[in-house]
Amino acid sequence: MSNEFLDRHSELKGRIDALKAQNDAWLTQQDLQDAKRHADDTLKIGDNKHPCGYRA
């Protein structure tokens, strides 16, 4: 294989790895935001009704 091919392959692999890490971070952020929303909804003051119908 040529050095040009190997260099390009290495460059693309680095970009793909960076995008995977960025995607994992975004998914984690979304999960944390969903969990925070759920916790906030659960702790809301009112008639103790949970948004999904659960009663505390």
Side-chain angles (χ1 to χ4, degrees):
M1 289 189 232
S2 70
N3 284 340
E4 182 181 330
F5 174 82
L6 294 174
D7 289 345
R8 182 71 174 144
H9 178 269
S10 179
E11 177 188 341
L12 292 174
K13 184 177 180 341
R15 285 183 176 184
I16 289 169
D17 290 344
L19 287 170
K20 284 180 181 179
Q22 183 180 16
N23 188 52
D24 287 343
W26 184 84
L27 290 172
T28 298
Q29 180 183 13
Q30 294 304 306
D31 288 345
L32 290 171
Q33 288 174 349
D34 289 345
K36 182 182 183 309
R37 261 191 301 277
H38 181 71
D40 288 345
D41 288 344
T42 301
L43 296 173
K44 277 186 181 169
I45 298 173
D47 62 352
N48 277 345
K49 278 189 179 177
H50 187 271
C52 68
Y54 173 77
R55 281 190 167 271

